[in-house]
Amino acid sequence: MAEVAEVAAESGGGGDSGVGACERGVAPIKAQYRTTKERFHEYLDADKQEGACQETPTEGPAEPEAKRIRLEDGQENGKTEVAVESHERQVPKRARGQNKSRPHMKPAHYDKERLCPSLLQESATPCAFGDRCRFLHDVGRYLETKPADLGPHCVLFNTFGRCPYSMTCRFAGAHLGPEGQNLVQEEVVARCAQLPSVRNGLDRALQQQLRKRQVCFERAEQALSHLTQGPMPTIAPESTVATLTPKHSSCHVQLDNVGGDGAGQGSPVPTCGPLTDEDVVRLRPCEKKRLDISGKLYLAPLTTCGNLPFRRICKRFGADVTCGEMAMCTNLLQGQMSEWALLKRHPCEDIFGVQLEGAFPDTMTKCAELLNRTIDVDFVDINVGCPIDLVYKKLHGRSREQRYTRLADWPYIEQCAKVASPMPLFGNGDILSFEDANCAMQTGVAGIMVARGALLKPWLFTEIKEQRHWDISSSERLDILRDFTHYGLEHWGSDTQGVERTRRFLLEWLSFLCRYVPVGLLERLPQRINERPPYYLGRDYLETLMASQQAADWIRISEMLLGPVPPGFVFLPKHKANAYK
């Protein structure tokens, strides 16, 4: 394991801080802020309001369920109390990897009686399923069992002038009239109609064709046949894209229209919208706009946390290039809505790509052809470095055992950049400050990609561009989280299911944010990504709460923004390394 530079000795003595001043791998926090684990939790518990969700004991954090069961089993088997105490004093092995045994609580379980979508759409036609519909049609009964509103303002109503979730919205009081009608702000609706919307949704007609395997991949099959016979031929890129719309009545969708360098070849392609020059005269391959992202800041594709609301936050702080979460080629070819949702693109993402994972040439080529024809994307990122089982056991270019226990080998990246020249090569790893970014650019890479550093502090892009350390306050950080919840409600919805899905992704992000140490508390700048923060008391209560490594305190932060959690709510982060309970 790579050695970490020793922290400079703290002036003034450590007192009873409980952490050595020169301990390796620990962030160098000033002595006046450092504290013990017990005092840290006592400080947070002292300010808790009565009846707060999931109280934390003053003597320290509760034992994880698995550990408590092991201790009880040891007592039942006749072990002495001395043996149990010695077991507790042992330093537990740091958990790593994916937390597959974490409890799941799907948002659909919060609403036992869900209202029929036909009532929400305010359609004059009755429900097509009639008495066989599994949803509730009694509005009065639904309102009696519906949980209380979470706040007086609805983000969707204020932003778009109309909330499509009507009475099922958890902020419905902001847009329901005296008779229960859904109010509309016509001026806001008209203004938002002129703005671009989220792109790359899955068309229903295309989904049916994919499920029935009625989509033809002529170019992919052509490339695969040549791949088995000899060298891959050069295939001219397409200049026109066939957009599938519900008006297509053909049962067999042709997704290929191989074009040469001449115009007017092949049958006309049905299009909608205004007529442009590209509809009349095809562009030649040499006229295609080339993608140049050299020197730009690239937000790495991040599974779970790299969702569309989080990418909007990073774009606001200066990220130049964004990429969707990892999508499985097989699931995309099967038309799974959950997988296609990972490809959605917000209008603010001016340079956007998608990341694909696949293990076989046929699925990869077919998926590339499919996406090239149906969605608006600038590039495709092929995942060859993910350590999860689903990817590692098929297509993989990185030591799985290493994970993040070692520092990134930038001298090796420098060698790769020289060998790859003139092909541009982006490098990433352990970038958490503008100094790290400057050192990375000196290796000769075309640009840098930021991954975990963006999770710890998404304002890192601003720091890199402005070449400064931002001593951001706790209130500013809370405003960032509030913006994320607003973006989440816009993306996932403002009903119970959308609110709890937003909360879940917020909690996953908070499991990384707690590792950030404010600049004003550090004795030496910058913070390094492999330095864990010790227990410390911030400059105010909120700053201390954001430094907590307990899921219960992350839930408290989510309740500040999204209201109280449902009864029986349980959360553990996706990765064991972040489960600090």
Side-chain angles (χ1 to χ4, degrees), residues 418-429:
K418 293 179 180 178
V419 173
S421 181
M423 183 184 72
L425 185 142
F426 270 63
N428 75 300

Side-chain angles (χ1 to χ4, degrees), residues 37 141 146 207 266 367 407 428 441 444 453 529 576:
K37 180 179 181 180
R141 179 182 171 187
K146 179 191 173 185
Q207 183 185 38
C367 189
L407 292 174
N428 75 300
M441 289 300 299
I529 202 167
K576 294 179 183 178

